[in-house]
């Protein structure tokens, strides 16, 4: 191959969308999971105490040519294939057949990071129609608090990562018959993954995104969804039929409304929108405050970037308003999307308050599912996904003026300075600062249920 031909091939490679897709993914995975390169186990948590023992049991039986419908070792025997949390029929079981548990777990986490990343990439591309911004959206979802926080329990992860794919196929099923089948297939995989509550949020997100797409009449939209619903019920029956029987005979059906409210979003946790680690010490693996034992569903981690993007979306609206009338169609479309994104974000945040929301008991009364399910704040997986779409599209549309650029640079430098000071205090003077604040506040820290010097 001549040098000129090699140069031509290299230029084509650098222009290919798939090239950047894989560069982004491999770069971020290498940073996030560098111990994987050293042969270490990536994430422990519930994986080793709850999930992997079940996978080993399933894999050992399948190696003998037996599909384990029953587990004789738990509760004097219990239906095994019907325990949806064990994800017996989910494809990840194959990993535990062919690899050791540690290697299988590492592959499982990497593969599902790719599913999350690629799903959000394709969904964002439908909205943004720009490769690099879509790659950013995929990366933000792949490393969101919801995805990262679920990696310590892979049954949760296996269901959660499919949400953007449901949105992506939901936007296409009106005009593409193939999308109806793929939507039903994803629902089946999500159900088999092990956490049925995510199925509800995934379907709701897909329906909402398709409602916002006004390219079809209501009759055509309704017909497409009815066909998809029938196909989905039929394909996913392999998962929900055996699971339903076990569920209806489980203690979960007898839990009180108060038990179902576990995991409600305490309003004070909204401070994480501004200070994402206010109640966390990630390096020590410690959380404190009103949700010290809760799941990490409240950390919408983009914070300042997210707020800047949201403000930018309104600024871009004002700029479009000043342009000629021929821009009215663009204005109306962007206005509709901003209102749409804001409505979903605010409504899901309000719902996530659960027990702190007046009248939530009425929701539980008329929607029995919310008496069975727990963690109302889990709906914030939808909040997080929608805010990523909103923020990335707003940043793409935002034309930064020279004055705005200077203002942003000053804000960034100020944030960097504050961060460096905070880092210095944390590294070298934390004990003294803690004792001084504790003394000035009449020992509010040392008298607290949550605070100790070591924990803080």
């Amino acid at each position: 191959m001549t040098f000129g031909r090699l140069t031509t091939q290299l230029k084509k490679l650098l222009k290919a969308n798939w090239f950047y897709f894989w560069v982004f993914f491999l770069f971020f995975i290498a940073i996030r999971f560098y111990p994987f390169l050293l042969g270490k186990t990536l994430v422990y948590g519930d994986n080793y105490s709850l999930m992997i023992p079940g996978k080993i049991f399933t894999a050992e039986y399948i190696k003998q040519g037996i599909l384990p419908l029953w587990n004789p070792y738990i509760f004097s025997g219990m239906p095994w294939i019907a325990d949806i949390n064990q994800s017996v029929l989910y494809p990840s079981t194959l990993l535990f057949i062919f690899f050791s548990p540690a290697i299988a777990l590492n592959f499982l986490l990497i593969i599902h990071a790719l599913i999350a990343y690629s799903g959000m990439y394709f969904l964002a591309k439908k909205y943004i129609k720009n490769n690099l911004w879509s790659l950013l959206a995929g990366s933000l979802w792949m490393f969101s608090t919801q995805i990262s926080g679920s990696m310590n329990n892979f049954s949760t992860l296996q269901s959660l990562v499919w949400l953007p794919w449901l949105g992506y196929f939901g936007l296409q099923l009106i005009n593409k018959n193939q999308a109806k089948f793929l939507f039903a297939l994803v629902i089946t995989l999500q159900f088999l993954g092990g956490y049925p509550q995510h199925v509800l949020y995934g379907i709701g997100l897909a329906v909402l995104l398709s409602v916002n797409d006004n390219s079809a009449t209501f009759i055509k939209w309704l017909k497409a969804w009815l066909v998809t619903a029938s196909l989905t019920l039929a394909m996913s029956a392999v998962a929900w039929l055996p699971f339903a029987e076990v569920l209806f005979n489980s203690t979960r059906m007898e839990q009180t409304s108060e038990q179902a409210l576990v995991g409600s979003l305490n309003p004070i946790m909204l401070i994480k929108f501004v200070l994402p680690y206010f109640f966390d010490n990630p390096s020590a693996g410690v959380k404190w405050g009103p949700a010290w034992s809760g799941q990490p569903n409240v950390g919408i981690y983009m914070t300042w970037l997210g707020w800047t993007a949201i403000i930018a979306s309104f600024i871009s609206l004002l700029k479009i308003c000043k342009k000629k009338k021929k821009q009215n169609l663009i204005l109306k479309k962007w206005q509709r999307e901003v209102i749409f994104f804001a409505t979903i974000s605010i409504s899901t945040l309000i719902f996530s308050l659960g027990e702190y929301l007046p009248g939530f008991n009425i929701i539980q009364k008329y929607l029995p599912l919310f008496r069975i399910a727990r963690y109302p704040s889990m709906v914030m997986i939808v909040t997080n996904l929608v805010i990523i779409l909103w923020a990335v599209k707003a940043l793409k549309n935002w034309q930064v003026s020279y004055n705005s650029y200077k203002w942003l640079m000053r804000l960034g430098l100020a944030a960097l300075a504050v961060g460096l000071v905070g880092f210095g205090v944390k590294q070298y003077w934390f004990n003294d600062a803690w004792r001084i604040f504790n003394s000035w506040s009449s020992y509010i820290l040392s008298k607290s249920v949550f605070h100790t010097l070591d924990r803080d």
Side-chain angles (χ1 to χ4, degrees):
M1 181 179 292
T2 64
F3 178 75
R5 189 176 178 184
L6 181 64
T7 303
T8 302
Q9 292 296 327
L10 182 60
K11 287 180 179 179
K12 287 182 179 180
L13 181 66
L14 293 175
K15 290 181 180 179
N17 289 344
W18 65 265
F19 173 75
Y20 292 99
F21 176 91
W22 286 108
V23 166
F24 264 65
F25 176 73
L26 294 174
F27 175 75
F28 284 121
I29 283 295
I31 292 175
R32 174 65 176 84
F33 292 134
Y34 68 88
F36 176 71
L37 304 175
L38 306 176
K40 296 182 178 180
T41 299
L42 298 182
V43 182
Y44 286 86
D46 290 348
N47 288 330
Y48 273 95
S49 60
L50 296 176
M51 310 315 306
I52 286 183
K55 283 292 189 184
I56 293 174
F57 170 82
T58 302
E60 290 300 321
Y61 266 66
I62 292 177
K63 287 177 183 178
Q64 300 172 43
I66 303 170
L67 182 63
L69 305 179
W70 185 262
N71 187 334
Y73 304 113
I74 301 178
F75 301 131
S76 298
M78 65 171 288
W80 190 242
I81 204 168
D83 184 355
I84 201 70
N85 198 232
Q86 297 299 330
S87 60
V88 174
L89 297 179
Y90 190 78
S92 64
T93 299
L94 295 173
L95 295 172
F96 291 85
I97 295 174
F98 295 108
F99 300 101
S100 68
I103 298 299
L105 175 62
N106 286 351
F107 276 129
L108 187 155
L109 297 180
I110 297 294
I111 290 169
H112 284 80
L114 176 59
I115 293 171
Y117 168 75
S118 56
M120 193 64 184
Y121 167 79
F122 285 111
L123 176 60
K125 206 165 185 181
K126 287 287 290 185
Y127 269 95
I128 301 170
K129 296 178 173 57
N130 179 281
N131 190 58
L132 290 177
W133 286 106
S134 299
L135 291 172
L136 175 61
S139 302
L140 288 172
W141 174 245
M142 177 170 58
F143 294 120
S144 66
T145 52
Q146 281 68 34
I147 298 296
S148 295
S150 296
M151 284 189 169
N152 73 337
N153 184 315
F154 61 71
S155 69
T156 307
L157 179 71
Q158 290 174 159
S159 294
L160 180 58
V161 295
W162 294 104
L163 260 74
W165 283 106
L166 290 175
Y168 176 67
F169 292 126
L171 287 171
Q172 300 180 75
L173 57 82
I174 296 173
N175 299 314
K176 294 182 179 180
N177 289 327
Q178 185 183 19
K180 298 179 178 65
F181 170 78
L182 292 172
F183 184 91
L185 177 62
V186 171
I187 287 290
T188 304
L189 287 170
Q190 192 180 29
F191 220 124
L192 292 173
Y195 208 91
Q197 195 168 337
H198 291 152
V199 175
L200 173 68
Y201 298 135
I203 293 174
L205 173 68
V207 171
L208 286 172
L209 291 177
S210 67
V211 165
N212 188 52
D213 181 13
N214 62 351
S215 60
T217 63
F218 174 75
I219 297 299
K220 188 176 180 181
W221 176 88
L222 182 62
K223 182 180 177 181
W225 272 107
L226 288 174
V227 172
T228 305
S230 301
L231 188 60
T232 300
L233 281 172
M235 288 183 62
S236 61
V238 66
W240 62 261
L241 272 178
F243 168 68
E245 183 178 356
V246 171
L247 176 64
F248 291 139
N249 289 288
S250 73
T251 56
R252 179 59 66 91
M253 296 297 295
E254 300 174 5
Q255 74 175 357
T256 65
S257 297
E258 288 73 22
Q259 288 173 318
L261 291 172
V262 171
S264 298
L265 174 65
N266 191 313
I268 197 173
M269 297 297 284
L270 291 172
I271 195 173
K272 283 178 169 284
F273 274 98
V274 182
L275 300 171
Y277 293 112
F278 189 81
F279 290 109
D280 301 330
N281 186 348
S283 61
V286 172
K287 292 186 286 185
W288 55 272
W292 67 274
S293 63
Q295 290 189 346
N297 295 320
V298 295
I300 305 297
Y301 64 101
M302 290 189 292
T303 60
W304 292 106
L305 172 63
W307 284 116
T308 303
I310 290 170
I311 293 170
S313 67
F314 291 107
I315 292 174
S316 65
L317 282 179
L318 294 175
K319 287 186 176 181
I320 294 173
C321 287
K322 295 178 182 179
K323 293 185 178 181
K324 297 179 181 179
K325 292 183 178 179
K326 66 180 181 180
Q327 298 290 342
N328 281 347
L329 290 177
I330 300 175
L331 172 62
K332 288 179 180 178
K333 182 179 179 182
W334 184 222
Q335 279 180 324
R336 187 173 66 248
E337 287 188 349
V338 170
I339 293 171
F340 173 70
F341 290 143
T343 301
I344 294 180
S345 301
I346 294 171
S347 59
T348 50
L349 277 174
I350 291 173
F351 180 87
S352 69
L353 295 173
E355 65 178 306
Y356 304 102
L357 178 65
F360 193 81
N361 58 324
I362 298 175
I363 296 175
Q364 289 182 310
K365 180 179 179 181
Y366 291 103
L367 295 174
L369 178 65
F370 294 107
R371 290 201 306 272
I372 303 172
R374 294 180 183 173
Y375 289 102
S377 65
M378 194 173 290
V379 75
M380 291 186 71
I381 59 179
V382 176
T383 318
N384 200 165
L385 194 150
V386 168
I387 286 181
I388 290 173
L389 285 176
W390 185 2
V392 172
K393 185 158 188 179
L395 287 169
K396 174 183 176 290
N397 291 343
W398 190 16
Q399 301 295 322
V400 182
S401 66
Y402 180 67
N403 288 334
S404 297
Y405 173 77
K406 289 196 298 183
W407 180 82
L408 285 170
M409 287 298 294
R410 289 168 184 163
L411 180 64
L413 290 172
L416 177 62
V418 171
L420 290 173
V421 170
F423 178 76
V425 170
K426 186 251 182 187
Q427 289 292 106
Y428 303 108
W429 307 292
F430 185 83
N431 291 5
D432 294 333
W434 190 93
R435 292 190 178 95
I436 290 171
F437 180 83
N438 189 42
S439 176
W440 285 353
S441 61
S442 301
Y443 302 97
I444 190 173
L445 294 180
S446 56
K447 293 178 182 178
S448 167
V449 176
F450 298 106
H451 298 279
T452 65
L453 176 57
D454 290 338
R455 180 180 294 171
D456 291 344

